[in-house]
Amino acid sequence: MKISLIYPVLQFSFQIRKQAKSEIEIPNSEINSDLCAFKMSKKVAFYTLGCKLNYSETSTIGRLFNKAGFDTVDFTDTPDVYVINTCSVTDNADKKCKKVVKEALKISPNAYVTIVGCYAQLKPKEIAEIPGVDMVLGAAEKFQIVDHITDLTKNSKALIYNQPVSEAKTFISGYSFGDRTRTFLKVQDGCDYSCTFCTIPLARGNSRSDTIDHVIDQAKEIAASGVKEIVLTGVNLGDFGIRDGLRQDKFFDLVKALDRVEGINRIRISSIEPNLLTDEIIEFVAGSNKFVPHFHIPLQSGSDKILGLMRRRYKRELYANRVAKIKQLMPGCCIGVDVIVGFPGETREDFIDTYNFLKGLDISYLHVFTYSERENTLASEMGGVVPGSTRAERSKMLHILSDKKRRVFYESQLDKTEEVLFEGDIKDGFMHGFTRNYVKVRTKYDPVLVNELKMVLLTQISPEGDVEITESEEIFAH
């Protein structure tokens, strides 16, 4: 899980969808004129912790502030309001929130600080005790944030607006825009699974989705803006299609519909559960010109015993079959894997079982999470607690394995000509981009290349681990 400073929000899409198929748009006329006058010329900055879904939701919240007269600025531009969108997958994310608040108030001591996101839903009182926090909004309240800010006077005690997560029944769509050349498009929220380690259902509520028609409309808006890649996001993306508590569509239906949208060059599936990644999805992606050969598939453990304790909905045999099917149809496909180390009851033998299983899989990289106890989860009450030092040792071993897997995958792509979408970042005079199958490349910075698709020859791996490319006049002719 990466933690990143959210970009200045340039454009957003915002719309509220009721599950009963009714649609509520927020017209400008509904924003109180006195409120707008009060907020005119005020500045707001955002910081996002956690997943791609949080990025899209930060953009939606930013759209609300813009509509109320706020200017979105950089984190360091002494804003009048800070909005920190939190994650609570690990203890580290909680600690990061506290650190961000502290740093924010160093920059703008009188800024009004509001905390939203999963951490805010799960532990509002704990957040309210953080020095400098003025308001905490839960899952059902975060998209009414502008209504809750009546003035920007610092509070001696943080205000808390936090209903039970069962009240978060409305699906609110949105997409990020402004930082790079790809957009994170939110199509699903919430989760009906009951994994014993996870607090996400407690933080986001039941599974609910947008309609296919509205997703297509948003994809067309994104295409019209010039963005070339869409990343589909959700809490449990493969569970797309539930509205009003009932299944009305399948994720595969959405995939087929999006494949017909004109103007988008690439569509990437951010993460999908192995039991929901069907043969028909894999086969369709293999034959698609839009959907790219890249899957991120959570595993969590390579031990069937631990998978059972986690209440995962598959065994490792199914996972291996999914990987084999992908590689059969798309040999160059990039496959990323989530894995947790140190889960209660994980013996050394269980970990070695996981390690060897991963070592033998034809995968490209790992996202390694060290298990941390989360309140109100069944796992936190289990015996067989793994010592912290052992968790750290196992994490280190899998990080090393991930580095090896990535290098082997990158080496398998050398001497191939691939399409790269270049991004606008600059580091030490270089810019970066990604192939369709998620190989990260670098070349000397050229502003003309930003958001451009170019066919390049992958030549060698740089000391930093990126892939270098041929810089011929033919490839880089403007």
Side-chain angles (χ1 to χ4, degrees):
M1 183 93 33
K2 293 184 179 179
I3 298 171
S4 306
L5 181 64
I6 195 67
Y7 41 80
V9 185
L10 301 181
Q11 294 185 30
F12 313 102
S13 172
F14 175 77
Q15 215 163 39
I16 295 181
R17 282 191 168 267
K18 289 291 185 183
Q19 292 301 295
K21 292 186 179 179
S22 63
E23 182 173 307
I24 300 176
E25 296 187 9
I26 301 181
N28 290 326
S29 60
E30 289 188 13
I31 299 177
N32 184 283
S33 58
D34 292 335
L35 194 63
C36 283
F38 151 67
K39 292 169 180 175
M40 192 65 66
S41 300
K42 296 294 184 180
K43 299 184 294 184
V44 60
F46 300 89
Y47 198 101
T48 300
L49 297 164
C51 63
K52 296 178 177 68
L53 186 60
N54 273 6
Y55 277 71
S56 68
E57 292 186 341
T58 297
S59 295
T60 299
I61 293 170
R63 174 75 170 86
L64 292 172
F65 273 97
N66 293 160
K67 191 171 269 189
F70 282 80
D71 293 325
T72 300
V73 298
D74 289 334
F75 192 84
T76 57
D77 196 16
T78 59
D80 302 288
V81 177
Y82 280 108
V83 178
I84 302 171
N85 193 357
T86 62
C87 168
S88 195
V89 172
T90 65
D91 279 327
N92 188 52
D94 298 355
K95 293 172 184 176
K96 283 285 185 180
C97 175
K98 298 173 185 176
K99 183 175 182 180
V100 173
V101 171
K102 184 177 179 180
E103 293 302 314
L105 293 175
K106 285 182 181 178
I107 296 167
S108 188
N110 297 317
Y112 194 91
V113 178
T114 301
I115 311 296
V116 300
C118 292
Y119 184 26
Q121 177 64 36
L122 293 172
K123 296 184 178 181
K125 293 181 180 178
E126 181 178 302
I127 295 175
E129 296 300 319
I130 299 175
V133 170
D134 297 291
M135 186 164 63
V136 184
L137 298 178
E141 294 82 17
K142 60 187 174 185
F143 295 107
Q144 284 77 49
I145 184 170
V146 173
D147 296 332
H148 286 297
I149 298 180
T150 56
D151 65 60
L152 301 183
T153 304
K154 296 287 289 180
N155 297 319
S156 58
K157 186 176 181 180
L159 302 174
I160 298 176
Y161 300 96
N162 185 290
Q163 299 181 70
V165 74
S166 59
E167 295 301 314
K169 300 176 181 178
T170 303
F171 179 82
I172 300 179
S173 62
Y175 57 83
S176 66
F177 191 84
D179 69 324
R180 295 183 291 185
T181 55
R182 66 172 64 96
T183 289
F184 301 134
L185 174 57
K186 175 184 173 184
V187 302
Q188 186 274 340
D189 200 353
C191 186
D192 293 338
Y193 286 12
S194 55
C195 300
T196 57
F197 57 84
C198 188
T199 58
I200 297 302
L202 303 175
R204 285 188 170 271
N206 291 333
S207 181
R208 54 201 186 275
S209 305
D210 207 343
T211 66
I212 290 178
D213 286 345
H214 188 249
V215 173
I216 297 304
D217 288 343
Q218 290 203 307
K220 290 177 179 177
E221 289 177 14
I222 293 168
S225 73
V227 170
K228 292 183 170 62
E229 180 175 315
I230 289 175
V231 182
L232 300 179
T233 65
V235 173
N236 189 354
L237 185 61
D239 199 36
F240 172 89
I242 295 177
R243 294 188 296 280
D244 302 322
L246 301 174
R247 177 158 303 285
Q248 301 185 35
D249 298 299
K250 295 191 301 180
F251 181 60
F252 185 48
D253 299 328
L254 177 64
V255 168
K256 290 185 292 184
L258 283 169
D259 197 62
R260 296 190 292 268
V261 175
E262 297 293 332
I264 291 294
N265 298 82
R266 296 178 174 184
I267 303 176
R268 200 175 296 274
I269 298 172
S270 62
S271 181
I272 185 167
E273 293 287 306
N275 52 300
L276 298 176
L277 180 56
T278 61
D279 282 350
E280 61 184 1
I281 293 174
I282 295 171
E283 291 165 0
F284 189 88
V285 170
S288 172
N289 290 323
K290 280 186 170 43
F291 279 85
V292 298
H294 174 208
F295 292 98
H296 191 91
I297 316 170
L299 171 65
Q300 310 308 6
S301 177
S303 161
D304 282 341
K305 169 194 147 185
I306 299 301
L307 288 173
L309 291 173
M310 291 177 168
R311 290 190 178 177
R312 300 292 286 169
R313 299 192 178 194
Y314 53 87
K315 294 184 181 297
R316 74 181 201 171
E317 181 182 3
L318 181 143
Y319 195 96
N321 289 340
R322 298 295 83 205
V323 172
K325 177 73 173 181
I326 291 168
K327 287 296 185 174
Q328 175 192 358
L329 297 178
M330 295 169 278
C333 184
C334 178
I335 301 177
V337 182
D338 286 343
V339 60
I340 297 172
V341 297
F343 189 81
E346 184 186 67
T347 64
R348 174 171 174 77
E349 289 72 24
D350 296 327
F351 172 71
I352 294 301
D353 200 17
T354 293
Y355 184 92
N356 288 334
F357 180 66
L358 290 167
K359 184 178 179 181
L361 282 178
D362 190 1
I363 56 177
S364 311
Y365 63 89
L366 305 174
H367 282 175
V368 183
F369 297 89
T370 301
Y371 172 77
S372 59
E373 288 75 6
R374 315 305 290 160
E375 291 181 15
N376 301 314
T377 61
L378 290 176
S380 66
E381 302 172 1
M382 292 179 178
V385 175
V386 178
S389 58
T390 303
R391 300 183 204 185
E393 177 186 356
R394 293 174 183 175
S395 175
K396 182 177 180 180
M397 288 178 66
L398 287 187
H399 275 98
I400 292 172
L401 178 61
S402 179
D403 290 342
K404 291 179 179 178
K405 287 284 187 181
R406 189 185 298 272
R407 186 170 186 90
V408 168
F409 175 63
Y410 278 10
E411 286 176 345
S412 74
Q413 302 303 300
L414 297 181
D415 298 323
K416 294 183 178 181
T417 300
E418 298 289 345
E419 179 191 76
V420 170
L421 177 58
F422 287 97
E423 301 187 352
D425 62 320
I426 310 174
K427 184 177 180 180
D428 299 326
F430 289 92
M431 66 191 306
H432 297 85
F434 287 91
T435 63
R436 287 171 53 85
N437 62 342
Y438 213 58
V439 174
K440 187 178 182 180
V441 308
R442 74 169 193 173
T443 190
K444 291 179 181 178
Y445 178 74
D446 183 343
V448 176
L449 290 178
V450 175
N451 198 33
E452 291 294 325
L453 292 163
K454 296 288 184 181
M455 299 300 295
V456 304
L457 178 65
L458 310 182
T459 57
Q460 62 183 356
I461 300 174
S462 73
E464 293 76 21
D466 304 326
V467 174
E468 295 182 346
I469 59 180
T470 295
E471 300 183 29
S472 68
E473 292 183 3
E474 291 183 5
I475 291 175
F476 291 92
H478 300 327

